[in-house]
Amino acid sequence: MLVAAAVCPCPPLLVPEVAAGAAPELNPARAACADALGVLAAARPDTLVVVGPAGLGGRGWHPQGAQGSFHGFGVDVSVRLGPAGDAVGERALPPSLAVAAWLLERTGWADAPIEGLGVGEPLEPERCVETGRELGARAGRTAMLVMGDASACRSLKAPGYLDERAAPFDAAVARALGTADVAALQALDPGLAHELKASGRAPWQVLAGAAEGAGLDGALLYDDAPYGVGYLVAAWS
């Protein structure tokens, strides 16, 4: 049963070493992520499942202790998904789950065992929702940390340039996350999300499947678009 969820953006820029001189600009986002993780800890889950976008693949599980790094961004920072586990020889965490691992390390997470799930950004909504339903049907108290960015088309200097559809799309997602509106998240258009470079669509729809019938309330903790990319932080409990 899903008892709590935190939704966070996943730009490597959240890691100060990656952001370098621009690091202070994302301090409010980091603080909101820490608050959202506090909601997860307060729920006392038996298991934490971390879900994030993982390129073009389908679904891929990463055990507790799986490692990732930000070496590809020119900094010598390595992370581990929770305490050391039986993850020797496992493939590296995708960037979104590496950011999640960094957030968990930063807040000293030690409240429950962790699993990581990377979902391919093209994964169909039906498969995302069904994956979430499987998580929500687990025995015990499950919490989720859901990683993903909104559109990357909010300004002329954004990675996807300016698209007039981006702001309304992000506003609709923010409303859905802030009110724990499962139906609205399930109804997100994967084609539009792809065109707007919104990497969070598939993970949000996994969350929507897991939260069906859970009766959770939502709170939007952060909503901004630095660098023309929509970053949203929410907590469900």
Side-chain angles (χ1 to χ4, degrees):
M1 175 181 177
L2 185 70
V3 296
V7 178
C8 295
C10 60
L13 288 172
L14 280 179
V15 180
E17 291 88 343
V18 175
E25 297 176 17
L26 288 182
N27 280 341
R30 295 184 190 99
C33 290
D35 290 342
L37 290 178
V39 171
L40 297 186
R44 299 184 176 275
D46 299 316
T47 305
L48 174 64
V49 180
V50 183
V51 182
L56 301 179
R59 301 184 308 179
W61 286 95
H62 299 266
Q64 178 166 300
Q67 294 182 305
S69 78
F70 298 95
H71 298 166
F73 299 93
V75 297
D76 187 19
V77 177
S78 297
V79 292
R80 186 189 299 273
L81 190 64
D86 187 18
V88 177
E90 291 287 339
R91 63 191 183 283
L93 296 171
S96 66
L97 297 189
V99 173
W102 180 83
L103 288 172
L104 291 165
E105 288 183 2
R106 180 173 180 261
T107 54
W109 178 271
D111 296 86
I114 301 175
E115 300 174 62
L117 174 62
V119 290
E121 293 180 39
L123 197 67
E124 300 89 346
E126 296 78 10
R127 290 191 62 196
C128 294
V129 171
E130 184 56 37
T131 296
R133 288 171 178 156
E134 293 169 2
L135 294 175
R138 287 183 173 186
R141 298 170 61 81
T142 300
M144 293 177 65
L145 171 55
V146 181
M147 309 297 293
D149 299 340
S151 73
C153 303
R154 291 278 294 274
S155 72
L156 293 174
K157 294 184 178 180
Y161 197 64
L162 177 64
D163 190 314
E164 64 183 12
R165 301 171 297 173
F169 176 89
D170 289 358
V173 173
R175 284 193 300 271
L177 292 177
T179 58
D181 188 337
V182 168
L185 292 175
Q186 291 182 0
L188 290 175
D189 182 346
L192 177 60
H194 175 72
E195 291 173 10
L196 297 178
K197 303 184 184 299
S199 69
R201 190 273 308 171
W204 298 330
Q205 290 183 322
V206 173
L207 169 61
E212 286 181 343
L216 302 181
D217 294 322
L220 189 66
L221 307 182
Y222 180 85
D223 178 2
D224 203 355
Y227 319 117
V229 181
Y231 296 151
L232 301 169
V233 180
W236 293 13
S237 62

